Amino acid sequence: MISINNLTKYFGETAAVSDICLEIPRGQIIGILGPNGAGKTTTLRMLTGYITPTSGSVVVNGIDASTNFIEVKRHIGYLPESSPIYTDMLVYDYLKFIANIRDIPNSDIFKKFLELSDLCGIREVMHKSVSTLSKGYKQRVGLALALMGDPDILILDEPTSGLDPNQIAEIRSIIKEIGKKKTIIFSTHILSEAEATCDRVVIMNKGQLVADGTAEILKADKSGKKTTLITLEYTDPITVKTIFAKLKGISKIEMAETTDTLKIKLSTSDDMRVDIYNLIKKQDWILLEMIQESESLEHIFKELTKEA
Ligand code: ATP
């Protein structure tokens, strides 16, 4: 549905976005993650036609944006960072204003407002001035405005930035609801948000795409590293370390002891629970607990964007 081909943007000598290629099918919720200055906003701005690429192309539903941007814009709803909406209007008037700009016939406006106010949860603030709304409600109004033309693609630049945890949860659930019918591309700094909301996560660093996949695939792909946490009834740590060090596949051993227990953290390249269990059994150590953890998305993000 959206093809991004070798998309590149230079600001003077700075390569804000370098040679990005992405295929985004219809109906996917895709989160773009990256540290400050990674090129997320610049990428979203090129997708929405707000700025033109230095090179490369964006093709939306078969329409090349470089030759027919007006047509492409009909397919896209865009909510820029920190919802730049006019604050001196009533919410209702604002929606009406945008509905007129979007050429929605007067006969359809009431139905449209009902639908959007329900979806975005703004019915109770329709007759309030935008200036009096909380940040969360301003963001909901921004979403309703972006959805006015019934676009099949919604692009959101850090939609939860600056919101409190309750507001974040509300916006997230609205995004998930909208995502049942539309393609959504949004940028975020919040890893848990990408993990909880997106079908697919793209990580950018220094203008480049450094990872692309579901959160699960990214976690599994990243060298497949695992951490196994073991608790033994107290056993001599030096003996334990020496014996574990002989087990092939363990790259790191960390330990912490209390008077009753010995906690061991093993970094392994694969799932080694069976080997570890057999070794513990052979040594006749008392196993109190064994848990295997995969790499967290946070760890992967840090690894991939280390120098940033
Ligand atoms: P943040 O998370 O801080 O919003 P980002 O990932 O969205 O960052 P961009 O805003 O796309 O990153 O910026 C990427 C790079 O391009 C940065 O080095 C930034 O300074 C530069 N840049 C962005 N917009 C402009 C501009 N209009 N003129 C010059 N440089 C720009």
Side-chain angles (χ1 to χ4, degrees), residues 11 14-16 34-43 45 81 157-158 189:
F11 290 111
T14 310
N36 291 120
K40 304 180 295 294
T41 298
T42 306
T43 302
R45 284 182 176 165
E81 204 175 347
D157 197 354
E158 296 192 25
H189 285 120

Side-chain angles (χ1 to χ4, degrees), residues 38-59:
K40 304 180 295 294
T41 298
T42 306
T43 302
L44 297 186
R45 284 182 176 165
M46 286 191 279
L47 294 184
T48 55
Y50 189 74
I51 54 173
T52 50
T54 306
S55 61
S57 67
V58 176
V59 179

Side-chain angles (χ1 to χ4, degrees), residues 223-237:
S223 76
K225 268 194 212 153
K226 309 251 182 243
T227 302
T228 309
L229 305 171
I230 303 159
T231 307
L232 298 179
E233 198 174 87
Y234 185 82
T235 312
D236 173 47

Side-chain angles (χ1 to χ4, degrees), residues 134-137 140 159-160 162-174 193:
S134 66
K135 269 189 186 170
Y137 269 102
R140 290 167 185 229
T160 58
L163 302 185
D164 71 33
N166 291 335
Q167 293 168 333
I168 288 176
E170 285 157 12
I171 295 294
R172 254 188 224 172
S173 77
I174 296 172
E193 178 161 279

